[in-house]
Amino acid sequence: ARALYGAELPAVFPAEELDRWAAAGTLMGKLKERNLEDTLGGWLKKALPLRGRRAINYHTNWTYFSAVLGIETAGLIEPKPGIPPSPRDVQKLIETAKTQKVDFIFDAPYYEEGKMRRITESIGVPYAVLPVFVGDEGAKDFFALMDLTLDRLLDLVEARR
């Protein structure tokens, strides 16, 4: 809990309650109601620049992760799990991305990167492949993996400036 929320919040609220609020997307509102926004620490504080950003992913595997960080999922490349997108699906997503003002695209290394890059170029937003397993790109443990993942996402935000 400390890595996700920082040192102060888990001392005020049980981790299960914080997790429930984070999963429901209400954590920041709950903290604001109680004038506790400044107690947020850990990965969620580090990820504050990601809150409210719109992203596209290939697959639903990032949905929960995105929700906890406050990243809005504007669309998925894969219309249904395991079914590759048709050219029509891709074109519809590109149009949606332009109207919703998508900020970036990110995904796992095991999806078709070429298709993701073409979509990224069509939309004109930055793209990153994120590490997903301990050991990827030298991440020696889960904590290093999360730090690396957040750094990569924050680089996408920086690229939009």
Side-chain angles (χ1 to χ4, degrees):
R2 292 176 75 109
L4 183 60
Y5 302 109
E8 291 182 56
L9 276 180
V12 177
F13 300 104
E16 296 80 18
E17 191 166 11
L18 293 170
D19 291 345
R20 206 171 31 257
W21 292 343
T26 60
L27 176 67
M28 295 307 291
K30 298 283 186 184
L31 295 180
K32 191 171 189 164
E33 286 172 8
R34 294 161 172 84
N35 292 320
L36 293 172
E37 304 105 286
D38 293 339
T39 61
L40 183 66
W43 291 320
L44 289 181
K45 182 173 184 172
K46 182 177 182 175
L48 283 175
L50 300 170
R51 293 194 70 73
R53 303 288 180 158
R54 289 186 181 94
I56 289 176
N57 306 117
Y58 193 92
H59 186 272
T60 60
N61 60 340
W62 293 105
T63 305
Y64 177 75
F65 175 83
S66 294
V68 168
L69 296 181
I71 300 170
E72 297 174 22
T73 301
L76 299 169
I77 306 293
E78 193 176 60
K80 292 182 181 175
I83 299 174
S86 69
R88 186 177 186 175
D89 292 329
V90 171
Q91 187 56 43
K92 184 178 175 186
L93 185 64
I94 289 169
E95 291 167 12
T96 299
K98 288 178 180 178
T99 60
Q100 288 192 18
K101 298 183 175 136
V102 166
D103 294 295
F104 48 81
I105 297 175
F106 66 93
D107 223 335
Y110 41 80
Y111 291 110
E112 188 183 340
E113 188 174 342
K115 186 170 284 186
M116 296 295 284
R117 288 203 181 276
R118 286 191 298 280
I119 293 168
T120 299
E121 290 167 7
S122 296
I123 299 168
V125 298
Y127 167 69
V129 175
L130 302 181
V132 291
F133 301 110
V134 170
D136 287 355
E137 301 183 38
K140 66 183 183 335
D141 57 27
F142 178 76
F143 299 99
L145 177 65
M146 284 302 298
D147 285 332
L148 181 60
T149 301
L150 285 175
D151 289 344
R152 186 79 46 82
L153 287 170
L154 291 167
D155 288 346
L156 292 174
V157 170
E158 189 62 33
R160 290 291 289 172
R161 292 186 179 181

